[in-house]
Amino acid sequence: MTLRAEVEQRARGRCEYCQSLSRYSTQTFALEHILPKSAGGKTSFDNLGLACQGCNNHKYNKTHAPDPATNHVVSLFHPRQNAWEEHFAWDASFERIVGLTSTGRATVEALQLNRDELINLRRLLYAAGEHPPAVKETDL
């Protein structure tokens, strides 16, 4: 199995930030360096995450961003060290991601996890019974 296939399998075919499913994307998802190469990050299974192009582009080489509630600079969500459900939740309509912690709020803003096109896609996928993605106990 290739490194890409292993990362995609671990992520269950979804962006590890906004939770978008790769099968509904018009662009191939990126293997994103969680710790950027520019900061010494390696191209290794433990440092790669699956990211949609939007999240990958907005994250770029960021590892920290301000929490909009406090303006304190905090670490962004780290898919290998943090559990998604501890830092994020869906709003009542399952269209928007809500940051539950300073890391969650900073990541929502920095990566723009509620981009208009994502909200539109989530709305359609929810109506089709394909959203939100199921959470498995192994995700927690």
Side-chain angles (χ1 to χ4, degrees):
M1 184 179 290
T2 67
L3 183 58
R4 174 178 262 296
E6 290 180 39
V7 172
E8 288 174 344
Q9 182 178 16
R10 178 182 59 203
R12 293 173 326 283
R14 67 174 104 158
C15 175
E16 296 188 71
Y17 299 100
C18 73
Q19 300 295 297
S20 293
L21 296 166
S22 62
R23 70 177 178 256
Y24 296 116
S25 179
T26 60
Q27 297 176 321
T28 302
F29 279 19
L31 292 184
E32 189 268 325
H33 288 82
I34 299 164
L35 178 63
K37 289 167 81 172
S38 62
K42 306 291 183 206
T43 301
S44 66
F45 184 67
D46 291 336
N47 190 46
L48 292 175
L50 192 64
C52 69
Q53 289 300 325
C55 287
N56 188 51
N57 291 342
H58 287 292
K59 183 172 180 285
Y60 186 51
N61 64 354
K62 296 180 189 92
T63 57
H64 293 78
D67 172 1
T70 65
N71 211 30
H72 291 116
V73 175
V74 299
S75 297
L76 292 177
F77 175 74
H78 188 301
R80 301 288 74 76
Q81 297 175 356
N82 305 130
W84 196 90
E85 294 78 13
E86 290 179 16
H87 295 279
F88 308 102
W90 295 105
D91 70 357
S93 66
F94 297 101
E95 293 176 2
R96 294 183 163 278
I97 295 174
V98 177
L100 302 175
T101 63
S102 57
T103 289
R105 291 186 298 268
T107 304
V108 167
E109 290 298 314
L111 275 61
Q112 298 183 27
L113 300 184
N114 293 313
R115 302 181 295 276
D116 288 341
E117 61 273 16
L118 288 177
I119 291 171
N120 291 335
L121 179 61
R122 291 170 187 153
R123 187 176 297 131
L124 292 170
L125 291 176
Y126 182 78
E130 294 285 323
H131 178 77
V135 175
K136 297 180 183 177
E137 286 188 24
T138 56
D139 294 344
L140 303 176

